Amino acid sequence: MSFEEMWAALLPVGRDEATGGYHRFAWTPPELECRAWFVDEARRRDLHVEHDPNGNMVAWWWPGDGSRGDAVLTGSHLDSVPGGGAFDGPLGVVSAFAAVDALRERGAALTRPIGIGAFAEEEGARFGVACLGSRLLSGAIDPARARALTDGDGRTFAEVMHNAGLDPDAIGPDDDLLGRIGCFVELHVEQGRALREPVGVASAIVPHGRWRFDFGGEGNHAGTTALPDRRDPMLPFAGMVIAAREAAERNGTVATVGKARVVPGGVNAVASSVTAWLDARGPADEAVRRTVKQIDEAARVAARPHRVSVDLAEESYTEIVDFDLALRDRIAGTLGGAPVLPTGAGHDAGILSARLPTAMLFVRNPTGVSHDPAEFAEPADRLAGVEALTAVLDDLACG
Ligand code: GLV
Ligand code: MN
Ligand code: MN
């Protein structure tokens, strides 16, 4: 299977034909179809598929014996944000299979195992915590907290894992798997406009996190409730959204409210509660923390005259990730001095960097758009990405 054939096979899975957006949420039918595709592609190549206790998968290419601590892991994730693009995640997985094919075609002799990983719930679109599979694997989230996470229908992560045939009591740090991996190189579509050449190398991931605001008011009739009698949570919610933009501008950060749940959500009812999620990122921890503090204060000021309660909870936070310098320089050297750039997007390679040397290759995105159907990489750049990954794996695993 060529890159383009693999790409074409995945393309219809979970795509909304009306919008072109992808809906591949962890352990929903489209994501399970992507997982089955992964297992088929591994089998086609005689790669052994390891299903770890946290829902992550690794397809191993290693003709030698025994487990060693120096495997080179590549791959990415197969799940998507709601209405996402085709490239975020799958590009890294498809490119990894294509790079393994290229190494085999040229008769490369492995001196280290190569694994192709597909990490679970990278986007956190279903259970709210991004990179959940790699966080569990590396010990960055308490398993008890993960088990209790709920999806939009109130189903717990534990319940969903159980229904998928996994043991929720077995989730958590997996030092056996981590101990077999020497480094992780994730290829990913670039998610902004910073990359002008076909392939670049990541330097860092900026600090980023997610927070949940709960505004509690009083449900009532839209026609009969006089304005002074209302406890309308939509008003401080709206104030918080504006405050997020203003605080981001003041602090040199970015802050986004992209998801909200209004209860009960009737056109002719004053809402009883609003839950809204804030995503904030910036160049330094203090700037991000200050941004969130200012938004919280503004939300409380906006809530007071309307007698609405405000609760703020941090759902996840990732400090700045500086990718392993030696690995990054080695990769940039292998690629003949590819551009090195930071990113504002989170990745499993960022989470795993706490436990392993990790690195990332970015493939140019001419639209600069991501988490949207307009996300794109030109066919020639996709192949440049495969070539780059092949050269990197050749250097790291066949040297
Ligand atoms: C993942 O793509 C993120 O940056 O939220
Ligand atoms: Mn993403
Ligand atoms: Mn991604």
Side-chain angles (χ1 to χ4, degrees):
M1 277 264 186
S2 68
F3 177 96
E4 293 303 342
E5 284 168 322
M6 286 189 278
W7 193 250
L10 267 186
L11 221 46
V13 182
R15 183 173 60 197
D16 178 331
E17 290 306 328
T19 64
Y22 287 85
H23 298 266
R24 296 168 173 165
F25 310 135
W27 290 289
T28 59
E31 198 255 7
L32 291 172
E33 205 177 319
C34 291
R35 285 173 177 269
W37 167 89
F38 179 91
V39 170
D40 282 350
E41 290 301 321
R43 290 217 176 107
R44 197 194 297 287
R45 294 166 174 83
D46 280 330
L47 307 179
H48 164 70
V49 179
E50 173 174 355
H51 295 269
D52 86 351
N54 297 308
N56 306 308
M57 302 185 291
V58 184
W60 289 109
W61 176 27
W62 178 233
D65 293 326
S67 80
R68 305 157 36 146
D70 59 358
V72 178
L73 186 68
T74 183
S76 188
H77 62 97
L78 294 167
D79 64 310
S80 78
V81 295
F87 293 80
D88 179 353
L91 185 67
V93 179
V94 172
S95 298
F97 280 117
V100 162
D101 291 346
L103 287 175
R104 286 179 161 183
E105 275 157 28
R106 67 169 79 153
L110 286 190
T111 52
R112 296 181 175 84
I114 290 181
I116 300 174
F119 288 97
E121 177 73 337
E122 192 271 353
E123 299 289 4
R126 182 160 184 190
F127 294 101
V129 175
C131 300
L132 188 54
S134 58
R135 279 184 206 272
L136 282 164
L137 166 65
S138 60
I141 184 169
D142 175 19
R145 183 184 161 217
R147 276 190 284 275
L149 292 170
T150 50
D151 68 9
D153 296 326
R155 284 197 203 94
T156 63
F157 183 58
E159 190 183 335
V160 168
M161 284 202 101
H162 176 77
N163 292 343
L166 293 155
D167 176 5
D169 291 326
I171 64 173
D174 186 349
D175 291 340
D176 168 55
L177 174 55
L178 284 175
R180 284 181 272 136
I181 303 169
C183 65
F184 175 41
V185 182
E186 179 172 2
L187 179 147
H188 204 279
V189 69
E190 155 66 351
Q191 294 173 280
R193 293 183 175 82
L195 181 60
R196 305 282 178 197
E197 293 182 34
V199 177
V201 180
S203 56
I205 298 179
V206 305
H208 58 286
R210 295 181 181 187
W211 291 262
R212 193 185 70 239
F213 278 90
D214 285 296
F215 298 93
E218 184 177 68
N220 216 327
H221 194 289
T224 61
T225 317
L227 294 181
D229 294 339
R230 296 179 182 214
R231 294 177 52 217
D232 186 348
M234 289 296 261
L235 298 164
F237 161 57
M240 185 275 274
V241 175
I242 304 292
R245 171 69 185 226
E246 290 170 351
E249 281 171 1
R250 262 195 313 275
N251 291 293
T253 55
V254 289
T256 309
V257 183
K259 177 177 172 181
R261 193 184 300 140
V262 179
V263 177
V267 176
N268 53 356
V270 175
S272 57
S273 68
V274 177
T275 300
W277 284 265
L278 170 72
D279 178 309
R281 312 183 190 212
D285 285 321
E286 314 79 67
V288 176
R289 295 286 181 197
R290 204 166 45 243
T291 302
V292 176
K293 187 163 177 285
Q294 290 174 1
I295 298 168
D296 184 36
E297 284 165 1
R300 285 169 204 277
V301 167
R304 216 163 288 133
H306 303 288
R307 295 167 292 127
V308 167
S309 64
V310 182
D311 285 311
L312 174 65
E314 182 172 300
E315 295 203 326
S316 62
Y317 189 76
T318 308
E319 288 180 1
I320 190 157
V321 172
D322 285 307
F323 285 109
D324 186 90
L325 206 55
L327 184 59
R328 166 189 132 185
D329 286 351
R330 180 168 172 172
I331 289 174
T334 300
L335 301 182
V340 175
L341 66 162
T343 179
H347 298 285
D348 294 307
I351 300 300
L352 293 180
S353 71
R355 301 291 307 272
L356 298 166
T358 65
M360 294 192 72
L361 298 184
F362 291 135
V363 173
R364 176 165 59 188
N365 175 351
T367 64
V369 175
S370 189
H371 288 180
D372 181 272
E375 181 182 274
F376 190 62
E378 293 287 356
D381 289 354
R382 303 173 204 173
L383 295 183
V386 173
E387 264 174 43
L389 185 60
T390 306
V392 168
L393 295 178
D394 195 0
D395 173 52
L396 294 174
C398 307

